[in-house]
């Protein structure tokens, strides 16, 4: 299957700082990537759809100024959590679409804000 | 939009037994139904998928069935092994790739 690499796998940051998470498609080009957030023992919640060369589409209730998404190339999308607070602590996962519908996921990033 | 419901939320079986997880969806436009396995601290991994023009698909010990009329699909794992223990998510996706996930099922296979 296709490989999606997400980095870092774990990050701890102080309140008020910003954290950048990278999502790369290693063996294919992804014009569209998705960013999800997952709380403990819960399902994946779609945050935003990242489109190469254009602005991301955010789901209702997701603050676009807080969760900055940049999809500057066909193989890289980044999610920046700005001015992070403890309530932003969560597991963030990206995915990319292959063959029009099949989604492959990154390994996820465990963000802890202290 | 699409709404996916998944049952049960937890499932415990004895090694060697079968496990069945069921999902229902609401959007008749959905045409792609993947199943993901998620181990602790990792991203979901695609284990099997089915498209709306197929009723059943099998891959070794894993099978998925789809009933489009009733809008439900199921995951079947036979001869379960302890390494099958994980959280399983179903998902449904219409043509616009707006994939929605079920709440997940925590499967425990007891040796």
């Amino acid at each position: 299957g296709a490989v999606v690499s997400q980095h870092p796998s774990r990050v701890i940051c102080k309140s008020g700082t910003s954290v950048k998470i990278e999502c790369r498609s290693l063996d294919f080009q992804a014009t569209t990537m998705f960013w999800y957030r997952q709380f403990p023992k819960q399902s994946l919640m779609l945050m935003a759809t990242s489109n190469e060369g254009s602005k991301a589409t955010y789901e209702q209730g997701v603050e676009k100024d807080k969760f900055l998404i940049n999809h500057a190339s066909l193989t890289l999308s980044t999610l920046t959590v700005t001015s992070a607070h403890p309530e932003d602590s969560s597991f963030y996962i990206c995915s990319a679409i292959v063959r029009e519908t099949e989604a492959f996921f990154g390994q996820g990033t465990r963000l802890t804000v202290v | 939009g699409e709404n996916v419901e998944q049952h049960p939320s937890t499932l415990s079986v004895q090694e060697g037994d079968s496990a069945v997880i069921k999902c229902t969806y609401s959007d008749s436009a959905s045409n792609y139904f993947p199943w993901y396995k998620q181990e602790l601290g990792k991203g979901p991994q695609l284990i099997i998928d089915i498209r709306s023009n197929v009723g059943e698909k099998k891959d070794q010990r894993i099978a998925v069935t789809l009933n489009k009329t009733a809008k439900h699909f199921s995951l079947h794992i036979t001869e379960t092994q302890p390494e099958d223990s994980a959280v399983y998510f179903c998902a449904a996706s219409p043509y616009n790739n707006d994939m929605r996930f079920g709440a997940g099922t925590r499967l425990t296979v007891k040796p």
Side-chain angles (χ1 to χ4, degrees):
Chain A
V3 178
V4 176
S5 177
Q6 189 173 337
H7 179 81
S9 58
R10 288 178 178 271
V11 58
I12 300 173
C13 70
K14 294 183 178 181
S15 286
T17 62
S18 295
V19 173
K20 180 185 284 188
I21 303 170
E22 294 186 348
C23 182
R24 294 180 184 273
S25 57
L26 296 188
D27 50 1
F28 65 100
Q29 293 182 333
T31 55
T32 302
M33 291 186 176
F34 300 88
W35 287 96
Y36 296 85
R37 183 173 181 175
Q38 187 178 33
F39 291 102
K41 297 184 179 181
Q42 294 191 22
S43 190
L44 294 86
M45 299 300 294
L46 179 65
M47 297 174 64
T49 302
S50 171
N51 302 297
E52 187 269 335
S54 64
K55 292 182 178 181
T57 303
Y58 289 82
E59 294 297 299
Q60 191 172 6
V62 178
E63 300 177 59
K64 59 181 67 177
D65 294 330
K66 180 162 190 62
F67 299 99
L68 299 180
I69 292 173
N70 185 284
H71 195 151
S73 77
L74 288 171
T75 59
L76 174 65
S77 175
T78 60
L79 168 68
T80 302
V81 183
T82 63
S83 186
H85 292 283
E87 57 265 31
D88 298 325
S89 298
S90 191
F91 194 54
Y92 293 87
I93 308 172
C94 68
S95 75
I97 297 293
V98 178
R99 290 181 286 275
E100 296 185 355
T101 52
E102 295 175 38
F104 288 86
F105 288 82
Q107 303 94 318
T109 298
R110 169 77 55 197
L111 171 63
T112 303
V113 184
V114 297
Chain B
E2 178 64 274
N3 181 43
V4 180
E5 294 190 358
Q6 182 172 347
H7 300 280
S9 57
T10 60
L11 179 60
S12 181
V13 300
Q14 208 65 37
E15 181 177 1
D17 288 349
S18 295
V20 180
I21 304 171
K22 298 181 178 182
C23 288
T24 61
Y25 63 99
S26 60
D27 189 348
S28 57
S30 289
N31 57 9
Y32 177 64
F33 307 91
W35 286 89
Y36 295 91
K37 176 182 180 181
Q38 186 178 26
E39 296 176 339
L40 190 63
K42 298 182 179 180
Q45 296 292 312
L46 178 68
I47 56 171
I48 196 168
D49 57 13
I50 192 167
R51 297 182 187 277
S52 60
N53 57 346
V54 176
E56 184 174 356
K57 184 177 179 180
K58 189 174 182 180
D59 183 4
Q60 298 183 344
R61 296 187 295 110
I62 297 173
V64 57
T65 59
L66 171 66
N67 183 327
K68 281 217 74 179
T69 303
K71 294 196 184 70
H72 64 71
F73 55 112
S74 301
L75 176 71
H76 304 252
I77 306 174
T78 59
E79 300 173 30
T80 54
Q81 302 167 2
E83 49 266 38
D84 294 330
S85 297
V87 178
Y88 291 81
F89 291 99
C90 64
S93 176
Y95 65 92
N96 64 354
N97 295 327
D98 186 12
M99 188 173 292
R100 300 290 167 168
F101 291 83
T105 296
R106 182 171 299 278
L107 174 64
T108 303
V109 180
K110 299 178 180 178

